Amino acid sequence: MAQQAYQPYQKPTERQPGIYFPQAPLPGEWRKSLGLVFTSTPPEITEEIRVIVPAIDVNLQKRLSKQWYLSGRIQTQVVQSNLALGPRYATRLTDKLFVGLGIDGVCWFGALTIKDVFNSQALGLQTIPNVSLGYRPTRDLQLTFRTEGVMDLYYRSRAGSLEIEYKRRQLNGVAFVFALEQPFYKQRHVSLGVRALYSNFNWQFWSLYATFERDFFYPQLFFDFIL
């Protein structure tokens, strides 16, 4: 039996596509992805009705320097949208281990009108500091774990003639993200993973006007094609 040829260790390439993995894009490169995010409603709010709400998910990233880059994200469901923009810092610890820090400014808004029955609008501002740890076990596989803090800055809503507004800085919740990025077909790569949000408010469900003063679990699944 012929002996298998020895395969030397190959250093992971920095050109591996990724959106969640903590690494700045290459010079002149725009990193981008398009996909969907699915969020499940907490049973405490919707009772026996369990709805999984999809949102279009668009990510854009631009290099600022070797270790700094700008990250933008748009999630939309037509009647409501969430826009996030912020700087990220990422550095290599070893050939396989990377770490990143970031903070996103978030603006969400929504409008829901049902003729002669319901007319409501809402707007909110948040900030989300985050810490990411990335692990690249092979040239084609990237794993990322990210912790996020969700802080409210501003909220305003109106239903008919009733309007509510408040300006206060408070920690609204925390989120934990696990993402896997790898080749999907030929040169196309994908990001897929889960996000566990523990919060007393989620922008996608502002129109329910929940009166609960406690945190709920909002599980999310995401799938994005890296373009």
Side-chain angles (χ1 to χ4, degrees):
M1 180 181 296
Q3 292 184 346
Q4 185 176 8
Y6 171 71
Q7 296 293 330
Y9 170 75
Q10 294 182 336
K11 184 178 178 179
T13 175
E14 293 188 4
R15 294 182 178 272
Q16 173 72 12
I19 293 295
Y20 288 86
F21 196 78
Q23 189 174 41
L26 294 173
E29 178 188 24
W30 279 93
R31 281 199 308 221
K32 47 193 177 292
S33 70
L34 175 63
L36 293 173
V37 177
F38 300 88
T39 305
S40 180
T41 57
E44 294 88 347
I45 297 179
T46 56
E47 297 180 350
E48 71 277 2
I49 301 176
R50 197 68 181 268
V51 180
I52 297 179
V53 184
I56 298 173
D57 186 29
V58 179
N59 288 275
L60 292 172
Q61 295 178 354
K62 178 64 175 177
R63 179 189 177 104
L64 300 177
S65 68
K66 183 178 180 180
Q67 295 174 313
W68 287 91
Y69 59 103
L70 193 64
S71 176
R73 187 179 190 184
I74 302 173
Q75 298 178 67
T76 181
Q77 296 165 310
V78 182
V79 297
Q80 55 193 12
S81 299
N82 182 298
L83 311 178
L85 181 67
R88 301 284 172 85
Y89 171 84
T91 186
R92 177 200 300 267
L93 299 180
T94 69
D95 285 347
K96 296 186 177 183
L97 196 62
F98 296 71
V99 67
L101 302 173
I103 184 168
D104 293 335
V106 177
C107 175
W108 64 266
F109 52 90
L112 184 59
T113 302
I114 302 176
K115 186 177 181 180
D116 300 327
V117 177
F118 191 78
N119 184 6
S120 182
Q121 298 88 35
L123 168 70
L125 300 177
Q126 296 177 321
T127 183
I128 303 180
N130 54 82
V131 179
S132 300
L133 183 65
Y135 180 63
R136 185 182 287 156
T138 69
R139 294 174 63 89
D140 295 326
L141 179 62
Q142 298 183 141
L143 306 175
T144 303
F145 176 75
R146 186 165 76 195
T147 302
E148 304 173 345
V150 183
M151 299 187 65
D152 281 341
L153 302 178
Y154 176 79
Y155 173 87
R156 184 184 70 192
S157 66
R158 183 172 65 86
S161 60
L162 179 63
E163 183 170 315
I164 299 175
E165 181 180 29
Y166 64 77
K167 303 175 183 178
R168 61 188 182 193
R169 298 181 181 180
Q170 65 175 15
L171 183 64
N172 183 45
V174 296
F176 304 96
V177 180
F178 178 76
L180 181 151
E181 293 173 306
Q182 65 178 24
F184 179 70
Y185 178 71
K186 293 185 178 180
Q187 299 300 316
R188 185 68 64 209
H189 288 68
V190 295
S191 299
L192 62 156
V194 296
R195 181 176 187 255
L197 172 64
Y198 295 89
S199 172
N200 57 28
F201 176 77
N202 187 314
W203 68 273
Q204 295 183 75
F205 307 111
W206 63 271
S207 59
L208 299 180
Y209 292 101
T211 58
F212 299 100
E213 288 297 332
R214 62 188 182 91
D215 293 348
F216 293 113
F217 173 51
Y218 296 90
Q220 294 182 320
L221 299 175
F222 56 85
F223 182 88
D224 293 91
F225 287 100
I226 302 175
L227 305 177

